Amino acid sequence: MLSEALGGLLPSAVGVAISPVPIIAVILMLGTPKAKSNGPAFALGWVIGLVAVSVIVLAVAGGADDPDSTAATGVNWFQVAVGILFLAMAAGQWRKRPTPGEQPEMPTWMAMIDNFDAIKSLCLGALLSGLNPKNLALTAAGAASIAQAGLSSGESGIAVGVFVVIASTTVVGPVAFYLVAPDAATRPLTTTKGFMSDHNAVIMMVVLLILGAKILGQGLGALGS
């Protein structure tokens, strides 16, 4: 059923949406002279990456709605692997969290965002949504849950659309806010960027821990049934 598929993909979609690095990246772009072109390009690339991964996983996992099929078993083992990976990543985030007073370390490429054009911004958005390990795994897990639901093509399209909308709110939302009211958007976006930068490791640790336990339990439960 479509409702069950939407319930299954919701945690993964929210996990993608609250990724600090893409949020910081898009806010940095909105502070550059080319904000009105680079911001929408980044958001478009982000959406393209999510859609591409979702469609590929749905194509590969076709038939996973039959619990006795090879595809279903493969999806279940994939969920187990992702769950274990996320728990390990959560432990890593906890170990590398900054000590009190220490400046959080951000990716070096963020310093080059001022020099980006629209094409580079679009490519960065697609890379962060489609090839970033965490977001790739979460998008694949969300698409896998759709594949297991045995939906029609139309319903699968709706489910993918819902996933992409939820997962894109924190990237597309700031861009839309800036385009509509650039002056009003400056302060809240700057505050959000500072919070995400300061608490990146802790946010990621909590997200990965919760989602890792959820996805691992889902995979193990399906394998044991």
Side-chain angles (χ1 to χ4, degrees):
M1 292 180 60
L2 180 58
S3 59
E4 293 178 356
L6 295 179
L9 63 81
L10 185 59
S12 296
V14 173
V16 174
I18 58 179
S19 301
V21 171
I23 296 173
I24 296 170
V26 73
I27 293 174
L28 287 175
M29 284 187 176
L30 296 176
T32 67
K34 297 180 180 179
K36 291 187 177 180
S37 59
N38 289 359
F42 180 89
L44 176 60
W46 175 267
V47 171
I48 290 173
L50 293 177
V51 172
V53 173
S54 299
V55 170
I56 291 171
V57 172
L58 282 176
V60 172
D65 55 310
D66 179 1
D68 297 322
S69 67
T70 302
T73 302
V75 167
N76 294 335
W77 278 113
F78 170 75
Q79 291 173 328
V80 170
V82 169
I84 293 172
L85 174 64
F86 279 6
L87 293 176
M89 291 172 65
Q93 289 289 334
W94 178 254
R95 287 194 299 269
K96 72 177 186 180
R97 72 192 187 282
T99 57
E102 180 183 359
Q103 186 68 23
E105 183 178 350
M106 300 306 294
T108 54
W109 54 260
M110 284 189 174
M112 300 184 290
I113 283 180
D114 284 349
N115 300 319
F116 276 25
D117 56 17
I119 298 300
K120 288 182 179 179
S121 300
L122 184 145
C123 291
L124 178 62
L127 288 172
L128 288 179
S129 64
L131 293 181
N132 173 277
K134 167 187 164 285
N135 290 336
L136 173 60
L138 282 174
T139 303
S145 70
I146 297 173
Q148 288 180 313
L151 305 178
S152 66
S153 297
E155 290 174 330
S156 294
I158 292 173
V160 169
V162 171
F163 177 89
V164 172
V165 168
I166 295 173
S168 301
T169 51
T170 53
V171 170
V172 177
V175 173
F177 186 16
Y178 178 84
L179 293 177
V180 172
D183 293 334
T186 300
R187 184 171 181 177
L189 290 180
T190 300
T191 301
T192 300
K193 178 177 73 68
F195 178 83
M196 288 291 183
S197 298
D198 293 341
H199 303 285
N200 176 35
V202 175
I203 293 171
M204 289 298 299
M205 185 272 294
V206 173
V207 170
L208 290 168
L209 182 62
I210 294 173
L211 290 177
K214 187 264 182 187
I215 295 172
L216 176 60
Q218 184 175 333
L220 290 175
L223 287 171
S225 61

